[in-house]
Amino acid sequence: MFNKALNIHKYLRRDMYPSIFCVGCGIGSVLNHTLRAVDELKMDMDKSVFVSGIGCSSRLPGYIDGNGLHTTHGRAIAFATGVKLANPELNVIIFTGDGDCAAIGGNHLIHAARRNLNLTVIEMNNFNYGMTGGQTSPTTPLGSNTTTSPYGNFEEPFDLADLVVGAGATFVARWPLGYPYETIACIKKGIAHQGFSFIEILIPCPTGYTDKNDLKSNKEIWEWYRGNTILRSKYKLLNEQEQDQNHKLVIGELRNVQRKEYTTEWAKLVNRLRDEQDRVDDS
Amino acid sequence: MRTEIQIAGFGGQGIVLAGVILGEAAILDGQNAVQTQSYGPESRGGAARSDIIISRTEIDYPKVLQADLLVALSQPAFDKYLSGAGEGTLVIVDRELVPSQKGAHLAISFSLMAENLGRRVVANSVMLGFITAVSGIVSSSAMEQSLSRNVPPKTVELNLRAFAEGWSAGKEHVDAWTCRGGANG
Amino acid sequence: MPGPAGVVQMDKASYEQICRILGEKRSFLQGDVACAYGALLAGCDFFAGYPITPATETAETLARLMPRLGGAFVQMEDEIASIAAVIGASWAGSRSLTATSGPGFSLMQENIGYACMSETPCVIVNVQRSGPSTGQPTEPAQGDMMQTRWGSHGDYEIIALAPNSVQECLDMTLLAFNLAEEYRNPVVVLTDGEVGHMREKVILPEYDEIAFTARRQPTVAPADYLPFQSVDESLVPPMATFGTAYRTYVTGLTHKESGLPTTDDAVAHTRLITRLVEKITRHRVELTRVEEQFLDDAEVAVIVYGITSRVALNAVRTLRQQGVKAGYLRLIGIWPFPEEKVRQLGERVSRIIVPEMNLGQLVHRIRELVPDSCQVSALPSIGGRVHLPAEISSALMTDRKSPEPEGQHHV
């Protein structure tokens, strides 16, 4: 399924390498998956803007030979809102992390979902603040060790997919790293979707999180994902009580519906008012 | 020549709007005008005030120093702002809404006249007609134009009638004064 | 209207369309509304904001008018998001605006720093109200003069203009857009609750009265374009917008001329920040805007700005009628500070009164500039109360040798 002929380097800014990412980090793979989706969609890189906030995952736009807007902590979606509204022709993709978009930027996340603005958010959830050295984030699992939960995290984490579904996002999906075909297909769908798309990718952070939580090898991390996620197709087969008691993160395409999209509705309003003005001018 | 007008009452009476109408009329007349308002929690039901400065020349200080004309449409507003009135201030009150009128020069039944026209809310337009006639600072045609623009379209006709009533009442006062030899007569 | 993919010189048809939407050439408007009008006449095609007293009327006006002109209006979830969207829109080719007041302006500070660092043209109207914190929401103040200059962290320069009338709210907002493009920098229009809510006569400028500074586009091939490289003495780099062949990477990190980050290079950081500061300070003279009256033979003078200037002018005129040689210097451009004008005045008069609706902000900057032979006194008024003319005239009349009255705030 991979386009083996794809020379992914044509999408990269060579002078940015080597990257800042640690050995075993999942962010590079997400970049790879995204660029494969971009390639398959034949996106015009002149017309594409990659927006990010602050954190490891927010460094991604710097590696892409397109337009990049690396903004302030938590605000990527708000900046992206301005980009998209000012020029709806642009493809706007946001790279963000769990801390960036769910803690400091949580308000922007839910409001962008509510507006159903045609943006694609690719959120890399590594369960911690990696860049600052492994602190608790809003998605850190209960009991996990981080530098700011040295006795085990006792705050309930967000399920960000649930959160944005509740806020009105119209395309929502989640995949752990290790499902490349599904992830690439899902990013393609998310970008093509007319409305607010949110894709969460669970990624390891050996430096900040996984090592400290006894997930010291790819195999252990993979097994953790297997044990703590459930495919949506299987989840749907559970009875109501089982669904209520489920603590696993549901993975797969979680929502894909159509609802009025912001820029389309705005364009309609502009046209309607222009027609009204023309009638006034004619009379 | 700078004319300072202060219109005071309670929130909801259209005090600010009255000031806007007057100021805009002055602009239509080719004069300068500044309208400011006391604005705050007190503007809901409490004392509300609209200040208008009108001048043929540039207006520097934009607020009222000593009003040439003070119109009070409620007892609390009258009590509050009368102290700021000076010797040269013409003080006009609503006869029914300001029962204790000591210090006022004229007490006019703006709201009663409005009620007789069918809508108490047009008391403001009656008042504006009256002060237009007695002060002469703006033309009645500019006032009618300004009024028409600033009130809800469906109420323009009623407001213009109210304005005309007020203007006639004001004119009668002016004529009476003129016969008696001025405002102190 | 300027198209979304790039800003072009406003054509006459656009001007006429805007005027048609705005209505009569001469009208009676609030300052906040005039700011919105000025923005539209400057070609503003993007507004993002959040409701806040006493600035909301700007947003309300643009909510009504912007879609009729084909621009974009969005009410964001907070002021942080508002300025973020404004910066994003600017990179997508818009001339973009937000309007706010104290608490919202405080929230915007981090991203204003980002706009300075990323050299993003945009305009922020700050209708100052009494603070700190929630303070007196409906009362005017001039308490954000220093926050405007220093509110974000690190070294940067900002451009700020202070209108004193409703007409100037229009004129200064219009000018702010041109300055933002000319210097690739955020520009703050510092009004206050008094000017913002006051109604006055406004005359829309004629087509040929309106300057229109278009965004300077790169002239080199995309492969040779460095979005943060100054190409001439102005130190202001040409700016390509998103959606063109000039793919641009923008970051708030210290960056090279290519835009790519370099965070541990002291030389690169020094070069970048020095240029960002110098591209404004080098143009201090061009950015100086003052109004001078009665200064030729003045022995004492006021230095004022914003609404307070109108009180001061009234006071100075009264004193002149009494034969007192009082002078008046109004600062219209606040930042960069009009140093030379203040210095020159300090050399000519023995006493300067600085009435401000704060406990003394610009007075400090003035003191730094004038010689010791000139006494500078603050004349504060806070709580939402605009000074009375008599307060300013009596301050000007006070013998410089007599001690300040007890209880007066010393600054």
Side-chain angles (χ1 to χ4, degrees):
Chain A
M1 266 172 90
F2 276 166
N3 174 9
K4 293 209 177 76
L6 170 64
N7 172 18
I8 208 142
H9 290 281
K10 74 177 183 186
Y11 289 105
L12 299 174
R13 290 185 192 268
R14 299 275 191 92
D15 45 352
M16 280 289 285
Y17 282 79
S19 81
I20 64 158
F21 305 119
C22 308
V23 172
C25 170
I27 294 173
S29 300
V30 175
L31 176 61
N32 181 298
H33 298 343
T34 306
L35 292 177
R36 285 179 183 279
V38 161
D39 186 68
E40 289 179 27
L41 289 167
K42 298 188 168 46
M43 274 169 59
D44 179 352
M45 294 304 273
D46 289 347
K47 305 276 181 209
S48 301
V49 185
F50 298 86
V51 187
S52 64
I54 294 296
C56 296
S57 55
S58 288
R59 288 301 190 93
L60 280 187
Y63 300 101
I64 302 174
D65 186 13
N67 297 288
L69 191 59
H70 176 222
T71 71
T72 48
H73 196 21
R75 318 303 171 197
I77 296 174
F79 277 84
T81 298
V83 173
K84 187 69 182 179
L85 294 182
N87 185 355
E89 302 294 309
L90 297 172
N91 309 301
V92 183
I93 296 171
I94 293 134
F95 291 120
T96 182
D98 43 310
D100 192 51
C101 97
I104 188 166
N107 201 26
H108 312 307
L109 174 68
I110 57 174
H111 285 278
R114 175 180 63 80
R115 286 187 194 103
N116 197 33
L117 183 62
N118 192 6
L119 301 172
T120 305
V121 176
I122 299 173
E123 181 258 327
M124 285 150 264
N125 182 358
N126 62 6
F127 304 119
N128 82 114
Y129 287 85
M131 187 163 268
T132 44
Q135 295 78 33
T136 304
S137 90
T139 59
T140 304
L142 269 178
S144 288
N145 294 317
T146 72
T147 61
T148 50
S149 58
Y151 310 109
N153 176 36
F154 54 85
E155 286 188 19
E156 279 284 344
F158 262 141
D159 180 322
L160 290 181
D162 274 1
L163 179 73
V164 295
V165 165
T170 46
F171 182 90
V172 181
R174 176 192 286 132
W175 290 103
L177 205 66
Y179 292 79
Y181 301 109
E182 291 84 349
T183 306
I184 295 165
C186 168
I187 294 173
K188 270 176 72 180
K189 268 175 119 169
I191 294 171
H193 178 77
Q194 290 298 305
F196 185 81
S197 314
F198 181 86
I199 299 155
E200 178 172 82
I201 303 172
L202 309 179
I203 57 164
C205 177
T207 309
Y209 181 77
T210 41
D211 272 15
K212 285 179 206 147
N213 288 282
D214 297 325
L215 304 170
K216 292 187 192 296
S217 66
N218 284 344
K219 183 168 174 286
E220 284 168 312
I221 292 165
W222 175 245
E223 279 168 1
W224 188 91
Y225 288 151
R226 297 255 322 208
N228 288 278
T229 59
I230 177 170
L231 275 166
R232 182 167 184 266
S233 51
K234 289 186 180 163
Y235 175 80
K236 284 181 78 176
L237 298 175
L238 301 178
N239 66 36
E240 205 173 310
Q241 194 188 358
E242 288 167 331
Q243 285 190 354
D244 280 349
Q245 288 169 352
N246 171 57
H247 289 295
K248 294 177 179 178
L249 291 165
V250 183
I251 59 172
E253 186 177 298
L254 307 176
R255 191 173 202 227
N256 186 355
V257 296
Q258 292 297 322
R259 190 159 67 79
K260 285 181 177 177
E261 191 275 323
Y262 194 102
T263 57
T264 314
E265 294 305 306
W266 185 263
K268 281 186 201 165
L269 171 66
V270 168
N271 287 334
R272 177 166 72 79
L273 293 172
R274 185 171 295 149
D275 291 346
E276 281 176 22
Q277 184 69 37
D278 286 348
R279 278 199 296 277
V280 171
D281 291 347
D282 290 345
S283 63
Chain B
M1 180 59 194
R2 173 185 169 110
T3 308
E4 302 188 345
I5 301 145
Q6 206 155 50
I7 303 171
F10 51 82
Q13 276 182 313
I15 299 293
V16 170
L17 182 62
V20 173
I21 291 167
L22 189 57
E24 190 164 328
I27 301 302
L28 290 168
D29 267 345
Q31 306 195 66
N32 290 309
V34 185
Q35 184 269 338
T36 56
Q37 59 228 21
S38 78
Y39 173 92
E42 65 173 27
S43 70
R44 299 280 177 271
R49 200 184 80 204
S50 190
D51 291 355
I52 309 96
I53 317 285
I54 295 172
S55 175
R56 294 228 163 257
T57 57
E58 177 208 333
I59 297 167
D60 45 35
Y61 184 63
K63 312 201 72 147
V64 167
L65 281 168
Q66 183 156 92
D68 297 286
L69 174 61
L70 168 65
V71 183
L73 300 179
S74 78
Q75 189 69 53
F78 177 71
D79 297 343
K80 186 171 177 184
Y81 297 117
L82 184 67
S83 58
E87 263 186 28
T89 310
L90 173 64
V91 184
I92 304 176
V93 298
D94 185 293
R95 185 191 294 274
E96 281 70 37
L97 297 178
V98 184
S100 308
Q101 301 161 0
K102 191 169 183 301
H105 301 107
L106 291 170
I108 311 295
S109 300
F110 298 129
S111 35
L112 205 61
M113 288 162 77
E115 261 174 51
N116 292 339
L117 285 164
R119 292 280 302 278
R120 201 186 171 91
V121 289
V122 297
N124 254 335
S125 296
V126 179
M127 179 273 289
L128 286 172
F130 188 88
I131 66 169
T132 302
V134 298
S135 71
I137 34 177
V138 284
S139 69
S140 62
S141 62
M143 279 299 286
E144 284 164 355
Q145 205 182 334
S146 175
L147 198 69
S148 305
R149 291 174 180 199
N150 284 294
V151 299
K154 284 178 183 164
T155 69
V156 169
E157 203 188 320
L158 178 64
N159 275 290
L160 287 175
R161 264 196 290 145
F163 179 84
E165 287 266 322
W167 195 85
S168 305
K171 199 79 177 52
E172 280 173 31
H173 271 271
V174 173
D175 293 345
W177 278 340
T178 316
C179 293
R180 292 201 303 262
N184 298 325
Chain C
M1 290 300 293
V7 180
V8 293
Q9 176 77 43
M10 186 185 285
D11 59 296
K12 189 140 196 204
S14 297
Y15 167 80
E16 280 164 0
Q17 193 200 355
I18 294 165
C19 287
R20 194 159 56 239
I21 301 289
L22 296 186
E24 288 171 55
K25 281 266 157 124
R26 191 175 61 161
S27 48
F28 192 56
L29 300 177
Q30 283 189 302
D32 286 355
V33 176
C35 285
Y37 281 30
L40 293 174
L41 286 164
C44 170
D45 54 359
F46 185 93
F47 179 92
Y50 186 81
I52 187 167
T53 303
T56 307
E57 289 83 354
T58 305
E60 289 173 337
T61 305
L62 291 169
R64 190 164 52 81
L65 301 179
M66 199 60 103
R68 298 184 63 195
L69 288 162
F73 169 94
V74 61
Q75 181 171 317
M76 295 300 286
E77 50 274 14
D78 58 32
E79 287 90 347
I80 299 172
S82 301
I83 182 71
V86 158
I87 296 167
S90 184
W91 278 100
S94 280
R95 285 163 89 91
S96 57
L97 172 74
T98 187
T100 189
S101 185
F105 192 58
S106 294
L107 282 175
M108 289 182 184
Q109 289 305 324
E110 186 194 7
N111 282 340
I112 292 174
Y114 180 89
C116 291
M117 187 64 149
S118 59
E119 301 182 70
T120 309
C122 58
V123 178
I124 302 128
V125 172
N126 177 11
V127 189
Q128 294 173 92
R129 74 188 218 189
S130 179
S133 188
T134 316
Q136 297 171 290
T138 61
E139 298 294 344
Q142 296 170 332
D144 306 348
M145 310 310 291
M146 285 301 178
Q147 189 192 17
T148 300
R149 176 66 189 85
W150 300 109
S152 201
H153 53 283
D155 292 301
Y156 66 98
E157 286 284 334
I158 198 99
I159 299 172
L161 305 164
N164 78 344
S165 68
V166 176
Q167 180 71 50
E168 272 196 357
C169 283
L170 185 153
D171 298 341
M172 291 299 126
T173 308
L174 200 163
L175 173 65
F177 277 90
N178 288 336
L179 295 178
E181 295 295 343
E182 187 171 349
Y183 296 98
R184 258 187 84 172
N185 212 70
V187 179
V188 181
V189 180
L190 274 171
T191 77
D192 62 73
E194 196 68 42
V195 174
H197 275 167
M198 172 193 283
R199 283 180 182 82
E200 276 185 303
K201 177 171 72 181
V202 169
I203 298 170
L204 302 185
E206 297 296 331
Y207 180 65
D208 47 19
E209 290 171 340
I210 298 179
F212 187 98
T213 307
R215 186 167 296 181
R216 194 142 59 117
Q217 301 297 323
T219 51
V220 296
D224 300 324
Y225 173 57
L226 294 171
F228 300 91
Q229 182 189 46
S230 81
V231 294
D232 58 27
E233 300 236 308
S234 76
L235 302 182
V236 183
M239 180 179 175
T241 48
F242 294 161
T244 66
Y246 295 88
R247 296 174 189 171
T248 304
Y249 180 71
V250 185
T251 179
L253 290 170
T254 294
H255 44 275
K256 296 177 273 195
E257 290 166 335
S258 63
L260 299 176
T262 172
T263 56
D264 51 6
D265 180 347
V267 175
H269 182 83
T270 307
R271 191 168 59 231
L272 171 66
I273 302 306
T274 307
R275 181 178 64 75
L276 295 189
V277 167
E278 277 189 10
K279 78 172 178 180
I280 305 299
T281 55
R282 180 177 282 195
H283 301 281
R284 194 185 297 277
V285 174
E286 295 98 294
L287 286 163
T288 290
R289 279 178 179 76
V290 296
E291 180 195 349
E292 297 165 292
Q293 294 211 42
F294 308 109
L295 287 184
D296 287 346
D297 61 345
E299 290 165 359
V300 292
V302 280
I303 298 183
V304 272
Y305 54 90
I307 186 67
T308 317
S309 66
R310 297 177 59 163
V311 190
L313 186 57
N314 181 292
V316 168
R317 281 175 172 155
T318 306
L319 288 176
R320 281 279 165 174
Q321 283 166 9
Q322 295 165 9
V324 179
K325 289 184 174 170
Y328 164 93
L329 175 64
R330 170 162 78 103
L331 312 183
I332 302 170
I334 303 293
W335 306 115
F337 200 70
E339 292 178 356
E340 204 46 42
K341 289 286 179 186
V342 169
R343 190 179 290 122
Q344 284 166 4
L345 182 63
E347 282 163 5
R348 279 160 44 195
V349 299
S350 62
R351 184 168 161 80
I352 291 172
I353 303 294
V354 188
E356 296 183 88
M357 290 179 72
N358 55 51
L359 290 182
Q361 294 196 6
L362 291 193
V363 66
H364 298 293
R365 193 76 193 85
I366 293 165
R367 279 211 183 106
E368 284 172 10
L369 291 162
V370 303
D372 290 344
S373 58
C374 177
Q375 188 193 2
V376 178
S377 298
L379 184 64
S381 177
I382 61 170
R385 207 180 63 87
V386 178
H387 294 73
L388 290 169
E391 292 169 329
I392 295 177
S393 51
S394 73
L396 281 165
M397 292 286 283
T398 306
D399 179 27
R400 52 178 302 208
K401 290 187 184 70
S402 63
E404 293 192 339
E406 208 172 321
Q408 182 161 343
H409 184 84
H410 290 264
V411 283

